[in-house]
């Protein structure tokens, strides 16, 4: 697996994880505030669970392939907990060069 592929996969899964969080939060709002439907939670709950697991796996692969420090890897994993934090981490990692693919020779 090359670093460019891993970086692209990480970016895609980070955004998907944040979007699935948004869907789940919207579903929980509809379920608990107006108490009208549980469909949002029933749909987005499993989706978010699957994307969350994918994010954790891809983050661990990225940490290894891209040579992240333990602190950076731990920060990437911690970003999966608060809503939308995976996108914040992804932007930070890109800005600081942690998701940069090596230049071609």
């Amino acid at each position: 697996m090359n670093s460019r592929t891993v970086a692209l996969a990480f970016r895609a899964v980070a955004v998907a994880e944040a979007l699935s969080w948004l869907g789940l939060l919207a579903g929980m709002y509809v379920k608990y505030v107006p108490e009208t439907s549980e469909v949002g939670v029933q749909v987005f709950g499993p989706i978010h669970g699957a994307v969350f697991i994918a994010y954790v796996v891809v983050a661990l692969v990225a940490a290894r392939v891209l040579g992240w420090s333990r602190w950076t890897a731990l920060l990437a994993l911690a970003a999966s907990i608060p809503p939308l934090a995976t996108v914040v981490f992804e932007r930070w990692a890109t800005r600081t060069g942690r998701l940069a693919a090596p230049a071609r020779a």
Side-chain angles (χ1 to χ4, degrees):
M1 216 178 264
N2 68 35
S3 59
R4 175 169 281 140
T5 302
V6 171
L8 289 173
F10 182 82
R11 286 183 178 106
V13 174
V15 170
E17 200 275 343
L19 291 174
S20 71
W21 243 126
L22 281 176
L24 183 57
L25 289 172
M28 290 187 323
Y29 174 83
V30 171
K31 179 179 179 179
Y32 294 113
V33 176
E35 297 179 3
T36 56
S37 175
E38 294 185 16
V39 173
V41 173
Q42 291 170 346
V43 169
F44 283 103
I47 291 171
H48 178 66
V51 177
F52 172 83
I53 291 170
Y55 176 83
V56 169
V57 170
V58 172
L60 292 173
V61 170
R64 181 160 188 139
V65 171
L66 299 173
W68 290 350
S69 68
R70 288 183 189 224
W71 171 249
T72 301
L74 192 60
L75 195 58
L77 294 174
S80 67
I81 307 300
L84 308 177
T86 55
V87 171
V88 173
F89 176 83
E90 182 270 328
R91 298 268 169 104
W92 172 80
T94 299
R95 190 177 68 248
T96 59
R98 286 169 174 84
L99 285 177
R104 291 186 181 192

